[in-house]
Amino acid sequence: MKKLVIVFLLISGLGTAADEKKAMERVNTAATVMNEIMAAPDKAIPGDLLKKAECVAVIPSMKKGGFIVGAKYGKGVIACRTNNRMSWSAPSTIRIEGGSLGLQIGGAETDVVLLVMNSRGGEKLMSSKFTLGGDASVAGGPVGREAMAQTDAQMHAEILSYSRSRGVFAGISLDGSTLRPDNDDNKEIFGKDVEYKDILTGKVPAPAGTRGFLTTLAKYAGP
């Protein structure tokens, strides 16, 4: 009996370590996605929009399926400006689910970036769950060095959304998608239960393993 307990504890410990590694890898992958997207200025997120954004979310390899309208599911990370926009919060892990990505064929995976453009959007983001296009207005963001081609919807949207699939990067609508914190992954990264709002308002220090993502944000969006 004692041996069984020891084995169980060992297996549980290994599972926790594996989950933590997987969650942290997702944070690092988000940084890689951001670097790859911004490597081509003519086809990247305009720098002036990044500098205005209150929060930035990156969902690597969001899965989608179906034809024309399909289900979506993805995990990623988000960080918000704190200290009067002089620094970034620790990244919180998030889930995005449901909605439609518009035209889609097959089960491709898509990298998604969300820019929360004003304090109203940031405040709504702090809720435990909200719907893009419902609780917060969302529009496909403009791409390239110049953002002059923005429509009124883009200029007034609380959230701008981008996607990259099969090498193509563009603004895309995510109406109907729900976004919420991934509390289990946050617990793995921070080593304890932490409140989503406390993370994004800077009340929780960033773990060492997440600093690469924050450095990437500072590189493109400024302090």
Side-chain angles (χ1 to χ4, degrees):
M1 182 67 180
K2 190 174 181 180
K3 290 182 178 179
L4 288 175
V5 171
I6 292 173
V7 170
F8 174 77
L9 291 173
L10 286 172
I11 292 173
S12 298
L14 289 172
T16 301
D19 289 343
E20 181 179 357
K21 183 178 179 181
K22 192 171 184 179
M24 197 64 77
E25 283 177 352
R26 193 172 294 115
V27 178
N28 294 329
T29 301
T32 300
V33 167
M34 199 71 185
N35 278 315
E36 290 175 353
I37 287 172
M38 298 305 293
D42 290 332
K43 299 179 181 179
I45 301 170
D48 61 335
L49 291 181
L50 275 170
K51 288 178 171 61
K52 291 177 182 176
E54 293 291 327
C55 307
V56 177
V58 182
I59 300 97
S61 301
M62 186 171 76
K63 294 175 175 58
K64 57 182 177 137
F67 178 76
I68 305 302
V69 175
K72 299 193 306 296
Y73 170 78
K75 288 187 174 187
V77 294
I78 185 167
C80 295
R81 295 188 192 272
T82 59
N83 191 27
N84 293 320
R85 294 180 57 89
M86 294 302 294
S87 58
W88 289 93
S89 71
S92 170
T93 59
I94 54 173
R95 293 170 178 255
I96 187 169
E97 299 160 325
S100 172
L101 271 175
L103 182 63
Q104 53 183 265
I105 299 175
E109 294 186 350
T110 303
D111 300 320
V112 171
V113 178
L114 303 176
L115 306 186
V116 181
M117 298 306 299
N118 54 42
S119 57
R120 277 182 316 179
E123 288 169 4
K124 292 173 182 177
L125 183 70
M126 300 300 172
S127 63
S128 59
K129 178 180 178 180
F130 78 101
T131 303
L132 299 172
D135 297 319
S137 60
V138 61
V143 174
R145 293 180 186 275
E146 298 180 3
M148 299 302 292
Q150 295 180 76
T151 65
D152 287 342
Q154 287 171 329
M155 292 179 68
H156 295 96
E158 292 168 318
I159 297 175
L160 296 177
S161 53
Y162 295 87
S163 71
R164 182 182 67 166
S165 181
R166 298 190 178 100
V168 177
F169 182 70
I172 195 164
S173 175
L174 290 171
D175 279 350
S177 301
T178 59
L179 191 149
R180 60 187 175 90
D182 190 319
N183 294 320
D184 290 338
D185 277 3
N186 275 340
K187 184 175 181 179
E188 299 301 339
I189 289 176
F190 291 91
K192 60 182 180 180
D193 288 318
V194 286
E195 291 292 331
Y196 177 57
K197 187 173 182 178
D198 287 347
I199 297 172
L200 297 185
T201 54
K203 295 179 181 178
V204 181
T210 67
R211 289 173 188 162
F213 176 71
L214 298 179
T215 299
T216 300
L217 279 187
K219 177 181 179 181
Y220 299 113

